[in-house]
Amino acid sequence: MSSTSLIFFGSQFCIYFGFIILKLGLIGNLSNLFVLFSTRTNPCSFLLWFASISNIITLLTGLLPRILSIGFSVDASSTSLTWCKSRWFLSYTSAFTSLTCICFASIDRYLVSCQYMQWHNRNKLKTAKLAILIATSVIMLTHIPFIVFYHIIQVNNSNDNVIYQCSGTNAAWTSYVNYFTRPMLGSIMPGTVLAVTGWRTYLNIKSRMLVHLGGTFQRGLTSMILLQSILIIIPVVPFSIIVIYQIATTSTNKTAYRLAQETMVFNIANILLYISYASNFYVYFFSAKSYRKELLRFVSHFVCCRSNRVEMRRM
């Protein structure tokens, strides 16, 4: 397979599979906003509800521009300085906020599954809101350099033609993003937190046989988080490996064919990474009976309200 074929395959994968993830993700996360709204007084439900908002922003500012850029060579960030700066800021902050919410929700499930009541007392809505407020503020503040250091610059493409692209102009910040933010904050750290808390929660549930988890709703939330954690970790692992590989081979001389291979693999892994931000609704639907009941209740209420409006118009 030639370099051109590899690039073509990667772009086609981004177009078709990326649009599937985008469409299903937007539908699913919007559904979550309505379904989880009525249960947002529960700390875990509130965290999942807030994560859905972040997921929508991530899909629109991260996945959609990537599909357009790789698949159709349409990159608004190369022509609009405002979008150049805001796109990277929004995509990174929303993605990390979503991962943080899921990590907090996983910790919440661990606390609920513990046998000691003093741990249960820390599981409060006020605590969850405060944690999200602090975490979101820190995430936004630490990513302000995207707004400061990202500009539209001139570069030469593979054909030695001058093109414009949105890129970081500060070497220290670029190194920080490539060597720490993406591999550590975006992959290894959340994956580790979810793996550890998920495993500990599973052990607690197994040892206590779900006796003290507070009914069907709490058990449903626990099932949702455990399965969601698995679906986040699965795409994170290959992406982390690829990022670490790129860091380790930065100084290696590579042929055009090898670069095409690495670009294709990275683009595919990057697209698959967005499954973490698009799959939550479907995970919740299939893993928790309580969520399906809430969804059915919302749909029934929506249909009834719409029927009443139609009847009122006829009168």
Side-chain angles (χ1 to χ4, degrees):
M1 186 178 289
S2 64
S3 300
T4 305
S5 299
L6 291 174
I7 295 173
F8 177 77
F9 176 80
S11 64
Q12 293 302 301
F13 181 89
C14 291
I15 293 173
Y16 293 105
F17 202 78
F19 268 124
I20 291 174
I21 295 176
L22 178 66
K23 184 176 181 179
L24 293 178
L26 291 177
I27 293 173
N29 281 291
L30 286 172
S31 300
N32 277 339
L33 293 182
F34 293 107
V35 176
L36 294 174
F37 186 79
S38 60
T39 62
R40 68 190 185 283
T41 53
N42 178 279
C44 188
S45 291
F46 172 77
L47 291 168
L48 299 182
W49 181 79
F50 197 85
S52 294
I53 297 176
S54 300
N55 288 340
I56 293 173
I57 299 174
T58 302
L59 293 172
L60 292 177
T61 61
L63 178 58
L64 180 58
R66 179 166 290 276
I67 295 173
L68 295 176
S69 176
I70 297 176
F72 303 97
S73 298
V74 176
D75 187 5
S77 64
S78 63
T79 57
S80 171
L81 181 60
T82 302
W83 179 240
C84 169
K85 292 176 176 292
S86 60
R87 183 240 164 167
W88 291 104
F89 174 78
L90 290 173
S91 62
Y92 270 82
T93 54
S94 59
F96 288 153
T97 299
S98 174
L99 289 175
T100 302
C101 288
I102 300 300
C103 287
F104 284 164
S106 184
I107 295 172
D108 172 87
R109 291 299 88 192
Y110 168 71
L111 295 177
V112 170
S113 68
C114 288
Q115 60 179 334
Y116 301 108
M117 291 304 299
Q118 59 265 34
W119 291 105
H120 293 195
N121 295 332
R122 301 183 183 185
N123 174 37
K124 297 180 180 179
L125 179 61
K126 183 178 179 180
T127 304
K129 289 183 176 181
L130 180 61
I132 286 299
L133 177 62
I134 295 174
T136 304
S137 300
V138 171
I139 291 171
M140 294 181 69
L141 287 174
T142 54
H143 288 84
I144 286 178
F146 274 118
I147 300 176
V148 177
F149 296 131
Y150 266 60
H151 300 278
I152 299 175
I153 61 175
Q154 290 184 354
V155 296
N156 293 327
N157 61 11
S158 57
N159 298 323
D160 205 29
N161 295 323
V162 176
I163 61 173
Y164 294 92
Q165 73 175 26
C166 178
S167 182
T169 57
N170 184 278
W173 173 250
T174 302
S175 298
Y176 171 78
V177 172
N178 292 334
Y179 298 149
F180 182 75
T181 300
R182 289 166 64 187
M184 290 298 297
L185 299 182
S187 301
I188 297 176
M189 288 180 63
T192 302
V193 171
L194 292 174
V196 172
T197 55
W199 177 247
R200 293 299 303 172
T201 302
Y202 171 76
L203 293 179
N204 288 342
I205 292 173
K206 187 177 180 181
S207 63
R208 299 173 61 200
M209 299 299 292
L210 295 174
V211 174
H212 302 290
L213 282 183
T216 304
F217 180 70
Q218 292 285 14
R219 291 197 297 270
L221 286 175
T222 303
S223 300
M224 289 158 57
I225 293 300
L226 288 176
L227 187 55
Q228 177 71 16
S229 298
I230 294 174
L231 284 185
I232 289 177
I233 293 173
I234 290 175
V236 159
V237 171
F239 182 77
S240 301
I241 294 173
I242 293 171
V243 171
I244 293 172
Y245 167 80
Q246 289 181 333
I247 294 173
T249 60
T250 301
S251 59
T252 304
N253 292 325
K254 302 176 182 179
T255 63
Y257 184 74
R258 181 175 175 180
L259 288 173
Q261 287 179 314
E262 293 180 3
T263 301
M264 181 194 70
V265 173
F266 177 79
N267 287 336
I268 291 175
N270 206 326
I271 292 295
L272 294 177
L273 188 65
Y274 285 97
I275 292 177
S276 304
Y277 308 99
S279 61
N280 50 354
F281 168 79
Y282 309 97
V283 170
Y284 305 159
F285 181 83
F286 287 108
S287 63
K289 184 178 180 180
S290 58
Y291 184 87
R292 293 193 292 271
K293 286 184 177 180
E294 288 294 330
L295 177 62
L296 181 61
R297 185 181 306 171
F298 168 76
V299 173
S300 300
H301 178 73
F302 177 79
V303 172
C304 290
C305 290
R306 188 171 183 179
S307 299
N308 292 336
R309 290 179 182 177
V310 173
E311 291 296 331
M312 291 179 64
R313 290 177 181 176
R314 291 178 178 177
M315 293 177 62

